Amino acid sequence: MISTRILIVDDHGSLRKSMADFLRKQDGIDDVREAANGVEALKCLREGRFDILVTDIVMPMMDGYMLLEEIRRQQIVPAPKIIVASALGRDDFITRAIEVGALFYMVKPFEPEHLLSHIRDIAEGSAAQLPLARTSAPVQAQSLDERLGSLFLTIGIPAHIKGYQYLRHGIKLVIDQPDMINRITKELYPTIAKHFGTSASKVERAIRHAIEVAWNRGRVDTLNKAFGCRVCTPEDKPTNGEFIAMLADKLSLERSA
């Protein structure tokens, strides 16, 4: 394998280090750098050249999708070839990763030898003849938290903003107690606020901000695809209550199916 420089991006420190240490021992790998999130990764990419980027999806500060979008937007040259390594293995995640430039999508946990195999394929120029998406472990049914994380990332709500956590907790509350959506101001917001040690007004503002972030990113079509029908338009942004009710209803139906 020709000399290859690799950047590994993952907020899980021990996992990131174990991948990096394994790759540093392999022939043909010239350098392996590490970053804990997309912000650190962009700094590394601006300061040096990397042939291959291995990145997680769910990370603080800047998630994997945002990182790959920023690499395109900033026109980083030369752009690294991309391998996504995530614990989330739904088809919509894989499709989204391919859309923003990934050559391979690996589902954690996987053996480091599998990662090395993909790196060798890319370095030797044979990745173009391979399937764009490849999972290295069977996909298991997602937990409710994983499914919520999948939906939020797909529609463009980043994991590092407060509204992400408030929305996730609120939707789970409404799934368990559907009538609570009818008492959003008097009961739902205060219950979320108590759980996170904040105020109901801050919860309301943070959730509204999270929805605005998603709409400003223009991911409405992705949301409609997730629901399998046209539920929203760019001009018709839902209220906090409508958004929570919509996702809670969808996830409740999935769980009962």
Side-chain angles (χ1 to χ4, degrees):
M1 183 169 67
I2 61 174
S3 181
T4 303
R5 302 191 69 208
I6 300 168
L7 176 61
I8 296 178
V9 191
D10 199 308
D11 63 323
H12 193 301
S14 60
L15 176 61
R16 184 181 70 243
K17 186 176 186 302
S18 67
M19 285 193 288
D21 288 345
F22 172 81
L23 293 174
R24 290 184 181 111
K25 299 174 184 177
Q26 308 307 313
D27 293 336
I29 294 181
D30 183 57
D31 188 22
V32 180
R33 299 290 178 89
E34 301 176 45
N37 54 62
V39 174
E40 291 183 11
L42 279 176
K43 184 174 184 293
C44 292
L45 290 167
R46 286 192 292 263
E47 293 175 350
R49 177 188 65 81
F50 293 91
D51 304 292
I52 296 173
L53 170 71
V54 181
T55 184
D56 194 5
I57 291 295
V58 181
M59 298 180 290
M61 304 290 289
M62 179 185 291
D63 64 49
Y65 290 140
M66 292 176 65
L67 168 60
L68 302 191
E69 289 169 351
E70 281 298 302
I71 290 173
R72 282 186 175 181
R73 190 184 68 81
Q74 297 184 24
Q75 298 182 330
I76 291 176
V77 178
K81 300 296 192 300
I82 296 159
I83 297 173
V84 169
S86 173
L88 301 173
R90 287 186 63 90
D91 288 345
D92 52 351
F93 264 57
I94 296 171
T95 299
R96 178 63 184 156
I98 293 170
E99 288 174 350
V100 292
L103 284 174
F104 292 103
Y105 192 108
M106 304 184 66
V107 178
K108 300 174 182 176
F110 52 78
E111 295 298 326
E113 289 81 7
H114 292 158
L115 175 60
L116 179 63
S117 174
H118 292 332
I119 289 172
R120 292 189 186 280
D121 288 336
I122 292 171
E124 293 165 5
S126 57
Q129 285 73 49
L130 296 172
L132 283 175
R134 177 183 295 178
T135 57
S136 297
V139 178
Q140 304 295 324
Q142 287 185 310
S143 68
L144 180 56
D145 278 332
E146 289 172 335
R147 183 64 180 122
L148 279 167
S150 172
L151 280 171
F152 288 170
L153 284 172
T154 298
I155 64 180
I157 299 176
H160 68 276
I161 64 175
K162 290 181 179 179
Y164 178 102
Q165 299 294 336
Y166 298 165
L167 267 172
R168 186 169 69 173
H169 190 66
I171 290 167
K172 289 164 67 178
L173 286 170
V174 172
I175 289 173
D176 290 336
Q177 304 175 58
D179 287 346
M180 192 178 285
I181 195 64
N182 299 318
R183 302 184 297 276
I184 188 169
T185 302
K186 293 184 177 180
E187 186 172 354
L188 183 60
Y189 290 156
T191 303
I192 298 170
K194 183 178 180 180
H195 180 79
F196 288 97
T198 185
S199 68
S201 60
K202 288 181 179 179
V203 167
E204 187 276 333
R205 287 196 299 271
I207 290 176
R208 178 162 21 99
H209 172 67
I211 296 171
E212 288 173 352
V213 168
W215 253 247
N216 290 338
R217 287 186 176 183
R219 300 266 185 89
V220 179
D221 286 344
T222 306
L223 178 61
N224 288 331
K225 287 179 183 177
F227 276 79
C229 62
R230 189 175 181 84
V231 296
C232 300
T233 68
E235 299 78 24
D236 185 23
K237 183 173 63 180
T239 65
N240 289 5
E242 289 170 340
F243 190 76
I244 292 170
M246 184 169 58
L247 291 183
D249 185 56
K250 174 177 174 55
L251 291 167
S252 294
L253 290 172
E254 288 183 356
R255 295 175 76 188
S256 61

